[in-house]
Amino acid sequence: MFEETIRALKQLSNEKSALSFSADDDNYFDRECPAPECLAQFKVLMADWKEKVRDEEVFCPFCGHAADAQKWWTQEQLEYARDVALAKIQAAIGGALRRDAQSFNQRHFGGGFISISMKVDSRPQHVPIPYAAAAPMRLKIACAECGCRYAVVGAAYFCPSCGANAAELVFDLTTQGIRQSLDAIDFIKAAISDADTAENTCRLIVESALQNAVTAFQRIAEALHARIAPTTKVRRNAFQSLAEGSALWTAAIGHGYEKHLSAVEMEQLVMPFQQRHLLAHTQGIVDVDYIKKTTDARFKIGQRLVIKRETVAEALTLIEKLTHGLRDDVMCMNESNFAPQLKRIESGED
């Protein structure tokens, strides 16, 4: 009775279909980290995804997670693939059922008290719109090690192709992107018609900017410290603490952050670093440790932080000032280490 349907099912089980996904207008291809604790989205230039990225191992620019190339589909791409597969199954099975019904109806017995027929709903099938990549991301990076070109929103530090740490390269680009996002807040607020949605969106942009600024400093401080003290074991996230990071710097070269920031500036920077901690771990709810470490009298325990755009901009300026100072420290260390060898070369000893 269901010969056509059975035949269609067998045919579907033997078929393998290839799906194609489009890139954005700049030919960047959307990817998503498969690590459940990350799930960050980024883009890779389509040509580099095909020619530079290895099938065996791809790295997340944000968390450094590694997995094979088939694990990096975005949720939107997976949803599109499911829609396409379902539409194909519905079309194949629906057509087979209609043919079986027609054959059955032609053979049915009429003229009695009971008349049997079959009907298959033949409403138009939904045709999935082909997946289109999102708008080009703000920050475009070319890996200094392998040349792979990728794009991210926010602060990211690892090359998808080779896994190289790009913290030093990305820092300046990240701070530039943070400023652009802060400058765009008024435009974004005006473009969203619903007042509550506009306010919430702008709040999230400001809070994200603060977290990205502190994280960008943490990553570049880690990279710079590894150059001057490569054998020193550093606690994970140590450079999220200004006091701990300064102590590590002092142990490595004899002075800490106080060389580059005044006492007042250091105090000003403590607050946004602690605010980042609350945003990351308590959804921004003020706790006892925050009050003790910042003496911020504007909030009580249990209240939620309210972070101003101006506060983030000021913190970003201090972070840039401190980072430039640390870079100078590393450069001076490299020059001092090279000086004895240069002196021997000039004297003809080497």
Side-chain angles (χ1 to χ4, degrees):
M1 176 176 172
F2 293 102
E3 293 86 355
E4 291 292 331
T5 303
I6 294 171
R7 187 179 297 111
L9 287 171
K10 288 181 178 179
Q11 185 177 355
L12 282 172
S13 66
N14 294 326
E15 285 186 5
K16 292 184 178 180
S17 300
L19 288 176
S20 62
F21 297 91
S22 59
D24 64 23
D25 291 341
D26 293 331
N27 209 29
Y28 279 76
F29 187 42
D30 289 77
R31 306 278 71 188
E32 181 179 294
C33 178
E37 64 277 10
C38 182
L39 300 178
Q41 292 195 358
F42 58 99
K43 294 174 181 277
V44 179
L45 190 71
M46 181 68 83
D48 290 349
W49 179 262
K50 294 178 179 179
E51 298 171 8
K52 294 182 182 294
V53 176
R54 294 175 297 139
D55 291 340
E56 298 80 11
E57 194 172 40
V58 181
F59 299 90
C60 174
F62 296 88
C63 71
H65 175 78
D68 69 71
Q70 292 302 315
K71 301 290 197 306
W72 299 83
W73 302 105
T74 69
Q75 294 305 306
E76 293 83 359
Q77 289 167 337
L78 292 173
E79 183 178 352
Y80 169 61
R82 286 192 294 267
D83 288 346
V84 170
L86 182 59
K88 185 172 183 178
I89 292 171
Q90 288 175 335
I93 299 301
L97 283 171
R98 282 190 292 274
R99 290 192 296 273
D100 281 331
Q102 184 179 15
S103 176
F104 175 84
N105 291 336
Q106 289 173 351
R107 295 196 304 267
H108 86 282
F109 299 98
F113 291 102
I114 300 174
S115 178
I116 302 174
S117 66
M118 292 177 63
K119 180 179 180 183
V120 177
D121 190 354
S122 58
R123 290 174 296 176
Q125 298 294 326
H126 170 68
V127 179
I129 299 173
Y131 177 82
M137 293 189 180
R138 182 179 296 114
L139 187 61
K140 292 181 178 178
I141 306 163
C143 176
E145 299 295 327
C146 71
C148 180
R149 289 155 289 184
Y150 57 103
V152 298
V153 169
Y157 309 97
F158 304 98
C159 170
S161 176
C162 68
N165 190 327
E168 293 187 56
L169 169 66
V170 172
F171 177 80
D172 294 329
L173 296 174
T174 300
T175 55
Q176 177 185 345
I178 292 170
R179 282 204 166 83
Q180 289 175 353
S181 67
L182 293 175
D183 291 341
I185 285 177
D186 290 336
F187 173 80
I188 294 170
K189 191 172 185 178
I192 300 175
S193 57
D194 181 76
D196 290 338
T197 302
E199 194 67 32
N200 188 55
T201 301
C202 293
R203 175 182 63 80
L204 291 175
I205 292 173
V206 172
E207 292 178 357
S208 177
L210 175 61
Q211 293 186 78
N212 286 337
V214 175
T215 302
F217 172 77
Q218 173 195 349
R219 296 304 187 193
I220 193 170
E222 290 170 347
L224 293 172
H225 184 268
R227 288 171 58 183
I228 60 173
T231 61
T232 301
K233 292 184 178 180
V234 178
R235 182 186 66 86
R236 185 174 180 267
N237 296 332
F239 286 99
Q240 288 182 4
S241 165
L242 288 172
E244 189 172 353
S246 184
L248 285 167
W249 211 257
T250 299
I253 63 174
H255 65 77
Y257 297 169
E258 74 281 351
K259 179 180 178 182
H260 310 297
L261 295 180
S262 67
V264 173
E265 290 173 328
M266 284 290 289
E267 289 180 6
Q268 290 175 338
L269 203 51
V270 166
M271 187 177 296
F273 269 63
Q274 290 301 315
Q275 289 175 339
R276 184 222 66 86
H277 180 81
L278 291 185
L279 291 172
H281 300 288
T282 70
Q283 289 81 47
I285 303 300
V286 174
D287 58 16
V288 175
D289 285 342
Y290 175 79
I291 299 298
K292 287 181 178 179
K293 292 177 179 179
T294 66
T295 64
D296 188 350
R298 296 173 302 165
F299 303 103
K300 296 180 180 179
I301 296 171
Q303 287 186 315
R304 195 187 189 283
L305 291 173
V306 177
I307 301 173
K308 300 294 185 181
R309 171 175 30 174
E310 296 74 19
T311 301
V312 179
E314 291 169 0
L316 187 61
T317 298
L318 292 176
I319 286 172
E320 287 178 311
K321 181 179 179 181
L322 177 55
T323 300
H324 294 327
L326 300 185
R327 281 172 164 168
D328 289 342
D329 289 342
V330 172
M331 186 178 298
C332 291
M333 285 288 294
N334 290 338
E335 290 176 352
S336 62
N337 291 337
F338 181 68
Q341 181 181 357
L342 178 62
K343 185 175 181 181
R344 290 195 300 271
I345 292 174
E346 291 175 343
S347 64
E349 296 178 12
D350 287 350

